[in-house]
Amino acid sequence: QVRLLESGGGYVQPGGSLRLSCAVSGSIFSIEGIGWYRQAPGEQRELVAVMTKNGHSSYADSVKGRFVISREDAKNTAYLEMNSLNPENTAVYYCHARFWAFNKYKQSLEYVEDDWGKGTRVTVST
């Protein structure tokens, strides 16, 4: 079973920085894409940043120039470096991945298009 585990959230003052991590564990064969989404109180979940297997990244307009997504394939881990944070960035941040994994019951590889972590909370406040 594949698991996505986020970490690095917490409290930060406006203008501060945080680095989120998403560790993907389990019978992973290949991570095709990984990304970060967030959900603020009373709002829908929205895309923050995504990165494909070949390193192509894209960002929500509101975070361009401030947030940077990266991945370390040897560790099956993705990161989100968040700078110049403001209160509007307060949300639960979720890791999302699509990947090939080994299904031990079927004894074959299967493509998982949509898998999520449980989230890590980021609060930007004075």
Side-chain angles (χ1 to χ4, degrees), residues 30-43:
S30 174
I31 298 176
E32 300 301 309
I34 194 162
W36 292 92
Y37 291 70
R38 67 186 177 191
Q39 188 167 16
E43 302 291 332

Side-chain angles (χ1 to χ4, degrees), residues 1-7 20-36 51 69-79 94-102 110 112 114-118:
Q1 185 176 355
V2 175
R3 182 185 181 196
L4 278 64
L5 181 63
E6 303 96 334
S7 61
L20 307 183
S21 298
C22 172
V24 183
S25 61
S27 302
I28 288 290
F29 179 77
S30 174
I31 298 176
E32 300 301 309
I34 194 162
W36 292 92
M51 178 173 276
I69 187 172
S70 61
R71 54 191 285 174
E72 193 172 354
D73 290 341
K75 295 183 178 181
N76 285 334
T77 299
Y79 306 95
Y94 296 91
C95 180
H96 174 273
R98 48 190 179 89
F99 51 84
W100 288 94
F102 184 75
E110 66 176 2
V112 178
D114 206 24
D115 205 1
W116 296 88
K118 296 186 181 302

Side-chain angles (χ1 to χ4, degrees), residues 8-14 16-18 20 82 85 90-91 120-126:
Y11 287 88
V12 63
Q13 291 189 342
S17 299
L18 281 176
L20 307 183
M82 305 187 296
L85 285 163
T90 294
T120 184
R121 186 174 300 276
V122 172
T123 302
V124 185
S125 175
T126 56

Side-chain angles (χ1 to χ4, degrees), residues 31-113:
I31 298 176
E32 300 301 309
I34 194 162
W36 292 92
Y37 291 70
R38 67 186 177 191
Q39 188 167 16
E43 302 291 332
Q44 291 188 338
R45 194 172 295 189
E46 63 176 3
L47 171 73
V48 178
V50 293
M51 178 173 276
T52 63
K53 184 177 181 179
N54 62 11
H56 177 74
S57 60
S58 58
Y59 298 87
D61 288 342
S62 61
V63 305
K64 284 180 181 177
R66 298 188 299 121
F67 290 13
V68 178
I69 187 172
S70 61
R71 54 191 285 174
E72 193 172 354
D73 290 341
K75 295 183 178 181
N76 285 334
T77 299
Y79 306 95
L80 184 67
E81 185 75 34
M82 305 187 296
N83 302 303
S84 300
L85 285 163
N86 57 62
E88 288 70 39
N89 300 135
T90 294
V92 178
Y93 285 71
Y94 296 91
C95 180
H96 174 273
R98 48 190 179 89
F99 51 84
W100 288 94
F102 184 75
N103 185 315
K104 65 178 182 179
Y105 300 106
K106 296 180 181 178
Q107 287 292 297
S108 65
L109 289 177
E110 66 176 2
Y111 183 65
V112 178
E113 190 168 356

